[in-house]
Amino acid sequence: MLDLKYVVENLEEVREILHKRGAEARASIDTIAEKAEKRRRVIHRLQELRTGQNQANALMAKLDKKSGAFAQQRDALRQIASEIKGLESEHREIEAEISNLLLHVPNLPADSTPVGKDASDNPLVRSWGQKPEFDFEPKDHTDLGLALGIIDFERATKISGARFSFLLGHGSRMIRALMAFMLDLHGEEHGYTEIWSPVIVKDETMRGTGQLPKFAADSFRIDWSWDEHQENQGHDLYLIPTAEVPVTNFHAGEILDAEQLPVTHVAYTACFRSEAGSYGKDTRGLIRQHQFDKVELVRVERPDQGEAALEKLTAHAEEVLKRLELHYQVVLLCSGDLGFGSRKTYDLEVWLPGQKAYREISSCSWYGDFQSRRANIRFRPAKGEKPKFVHTLNGSGLAIGRTFVAILEQYQQKDGSVRVPDALIPYMGGVEVVKARES
RNA sequence: GGAGGAGUGGCCGAGAGGUCGAAGGCGGCGGUCUUGAAAACCGUUGAACCGGCAACGGUUCCAUGGGUUCGAAUCCCAUCUCCUCCGCCA
């Protein structure tokens, strides 16, 4: 969420910068400015009335309760009290209107985010490794996995529907191996604190990181209409689309000490996405599932460290691909392709020989104070100073399902077996090659 | 699921319709004293918002949301959270 004061004081600039996103959000900026002015007037009047009321009330306390003066004064104050009550409800209303509008406005892209229209304008930043060469026609992971007997879509569809999967044997084992490998790398070598998290969160938590209110359709909401008390719960529950949501909100509502920063967390969680609007896209295979596993990196930083931390975070995510010796490239998202809450984002794209394409396997973003303002996460720069909003960052390190896909496709051999990356062999219990399951 | 109890400032803890942003203590910060430190003593110590170039002034906040009242931390209602006991359960 943007700072209302900043928006009002820099109207032109905000309009201009949002224009780079090609966003329809610009229109609401003018409405917000109008409402902000109205809000100011209401608050001002309200305070005047209250000052008067407070002074009069102080006198009341000293008056003889049986005197005529008391009765007279009381009647006069009734008038003021009811006027205040009216203004208060007007005030509540306008605050709600403003924050509702503000919650729908995307973040301002950073200066270093290139201006562009869509993904085709994303500049290539760097590339690592080489496309593996095959003296045969490489298969895609679906064919490989089915032939090896380590993936089963049909039965998953039977029990859960489309976009779900069973993994078996070394397939299942490899998910577990990747999870442990990534957690160890980031935890032990990159210094992140491992954290295990709930995967069901309140709507306000989703609002904190920006998934709500605008992207409700992208997530799974829990239906607890079976609970006769549900209307008294005061909140909805959602399955998290990424560990970013619970982990970034870990310090929601808190004021951190400066020495606590940066807070760095690495979390493994299952992730759930409705994938509404992606009908017909990636219907085959493991690329786009309703449920997938991900190891996520989250950093909470001092504002002056925010943008620099994005480089560190991205390097940490890249290290996973390097250790696994998977060819990939890094692109910088342009303003038109940038996520709602992000100021700057690097995407890591891994090479998939079966698709002959680079596919996103990690997205590393710097949010500035966009999320911390929503989630109210602050820090005190120094003793006696006012709290300020922190900067938040997060990035996949990595999406496990897609890493599994990349390994199958980049490490496949002519006979349909798949070599296990050296770094992963210890985590696979010494298995060096995944061969067809006999069973 | 049943029965009780509790939610006050960084922490502990008073308060019980009017002068309470809230006694007292602890902790933190500044100072006096000391060769240094401790002790002792003195002072200071929350957040958000509005107005103002500023000094400063004002408003709101005692779990949350409503209500009663001229006036609520104090009374009423609802919700949330925590604790204790019983039951059930991975």
Side-chain angles (χ1 to χ4, degrees):
Chain A
M1 175 161 72
L2 301 180
D3 179 13
L4 176 62
K5 200 186 272 178
Y6 183 86
V7 171
V8 171
E9 287 170 3
N10 303 276
L11 262 189
E12 280 314 309
E13 185 197 338
V14 170
R15 254 194 286 252
E16 184 66 22
I17 296 176
L18 285 180
H19 179 61
K20 292 183 189 164
R21 277 185 177 271
E24 73 293 353
R26 285 191 304 143
S28 65
I29 292 296
D30 294 321
T31 316
I32 288 170
E34 273 171 41
K35 303 250 184 215
E37 174 55 24
K38 189 175 166 204
R39 168 180 175 274
R40 201 188 53 77
R41 284 200 309 269
V42 169
I43 288 177
H44 196 72
R45 176 72 186 135
L46 200 51
Q47 290 190 355
E48 282 176 354
L49 286 173
R50 282 196 180 125
T51 303
Q53 189 188 35
N54 287 344
Q55 286 167 355
N57 278 332
L59 290 178
M60 291 286 279
K62 291 180 187 131
L63 285 179
D64 176 3
K65 298 213 173 12
K66 287 174 196 129
S67 69
F70 184 89
Q72 200 177 8
Q73 181 79 329
R74 189 193 55 207
D75 293 342
L77 281 178
R78 275 203 184 121
Q79 197 71 25
I80 295 182
S82 89
E83 196 178 342
I84 286 179
K85 208 154 273 183
L87 266 182
E88 274 176 342
S89 82
E90 196 177 337
H91 179 223
R92 263 198 301 276
E93 222 168 90
I94 198 158
E95 290 285 358
E97 283 171 4
I98 288 174
S99 79
N100 193 40
L101 285 167
L102 227 37
L103 284 171
H104 285 82
V105 178
N107 203 354
L108 306 175
D111 291 340
S112 49
T113 288
V115 176
K117 180 166 94 283
D118 54 38
S120 64
D121 291 327
N122 296 341
L124 175 67
V125 176
R126 60 184 165 267
S127 170
W128 186 89
Q130 302 286 324
K131 290 181 188 172
E133 293 190 8
F134 302 95
D135 55 4
F136 56 93
E137 187 58 32
K139 297 182 182 133
D140 80 355
H141 71 278
T142 306
D143 289 338
L144 285 162
L146 291 175
L148 287 168
I150 59 173
I151 305 179
D152 186 335
F153 292 112
E154 282 186 23
R155 291 193 175 94
T157 303
K158 175 176 70 184
I159 65 138
S160 298
R163 294 200 191 282
F164 287 94
S165 52
F166 277 113
L167 299 178
L168 299 112
H170 289 325
S172 177
R173 175 84 191 243
M174 193 174 284
I175 299 299
R176 178 157 60 91
L178 285 167
M179 181 200 306
F181 166 69
M182 292 179 194
L183 287 171
D184 284 353
L185 174 62
H186 298 307
E188 291 168 11
E189 296 191 42
H190 296 154
Y192 289 73
T193 301
E194 190 173 332
I195 183 170
W196 188 89
S197 153
V199 296
I200 296 179
V201 298
K202 298 180 190 177
D203 46 10
E204 67 180 64
T205 308
M206 293 282 276
R207 198 154 29 243
T209 31
Q211 280 72 23
L212 291 180
K214 212 176 170 184
F215 305 100
D218 293 338
S219 297
F220 286 110
R221 190 176 76 234
I222 308 274
D223 173 10
W224 53 358
S225 55
W226 46 268
D227 183 347
E228 58 185 16
H229 298 300
Q230 58 134 352
E231 57 185 5
N232 296 328
Q233 298 287 357
H235 58 260
D236 284 337
L237 287 178
Y238 287 83
L239 297 181
I240 60 168
T242 160
E244 162 196 347
V245 176
V247 177
T248 304
N249 278 289
F250 184 69
H251 287 302
E254 298 181 18
I255 299 174
L256 304 169
D257 294 330
E259 308 82 65
Q260 283 178 267
L261 300 178
V263 176
T264 62
H265 282 132
V266 57
Y268 157 80
T269 67
C271 302
F272 305 89
R273 298 191 182 174
S274 73
E275 296 299 345
S278 65
Y279 304 110
K281 221 188 274 181
D282 301 313
T283 50
R284 189 179 150 83
L286 292 172
I287 292 292
R288 197 175 296 274
Q289 300 268 290
H290 285 313
Q291 175 191 336
F292 61 98
D293 300 286
K294 188 155 58 72
V295 167
E296 184 79 3
L297 302 171
V298 174
R299 301 183 68 98
V300 175
E301 297 271 355
R302 296 179 60 108
D304 55 3
Q305 300 297 311
E307 188 164 11
L310 179 62
E311 301 301 323
K312 287 187 208 168
L313 178 77
T314 307
H316 292 150
E318 281 181 64
E319 186 62 22
V320 178
L321 289 162
K322 288 177 181 171
R323 299 281 177 104
L324 295 173
E325 297 178 81
L326 290 167
H327 169 53
Y328 70 92
Q329 64 181 24
V330 182
V331 299
L332 178 57
L333 299 197
C334 71
S335 56
D337 199 27
L338 198 62
F340 179 71
S342 179
R343 279 176 61 63
K344 183 178 184 180
T345 297
Y346 289 112
D347 271 7
L348 310 189
E349 301 181 333
V350 72
W351 174 248
L352 297 184
Q355 295 196 3
K356 297 190 171 42
Y358 289 95
R359 294 302 303 258
E360 177 187 333
I361 196 166
S362 172
S363 194
C364 301
S365 298
W366 167 45
Y367 287 81
D369 59 13
F370 189 82
Q371 293 181 324
S372 61
R373 180 169 288 109
R374 286 169 167 247
N376 195 22
I377 310 167
R378 294 172 295 173
F379 79 108
R380 202 178 296 281
K383 280 256 184 284
E385 278 188 50
K386 293 215 161 211
K388 290 167 85 167
F389 289 111
V390 298
H391 279 198
T392 60
L393 301 96
N394 65 69
S396 351
L398 307 163
I400 290 176
R402 290 190 181 182
T403 307
F404 177 62
V405 166
I407 290 171
L408 290 186
E409 297 200 8
Q410 287 202 27
Y411 278 84
Q412 63 180 292
Q413 305 185 105
K414 193 167 188 173
D415 64 357
S417 65
V418 173
R419 281 203 306 115
V420 175
D422 289 344
L424 215 53
I425 292 174
Y427 289 93
M428 288 289 289
V431 172
E432 294 177 12
V433 179
V434 176
K435 299 187 177 121
R437 267 166 63 85
E438 58 286 321
S439 67

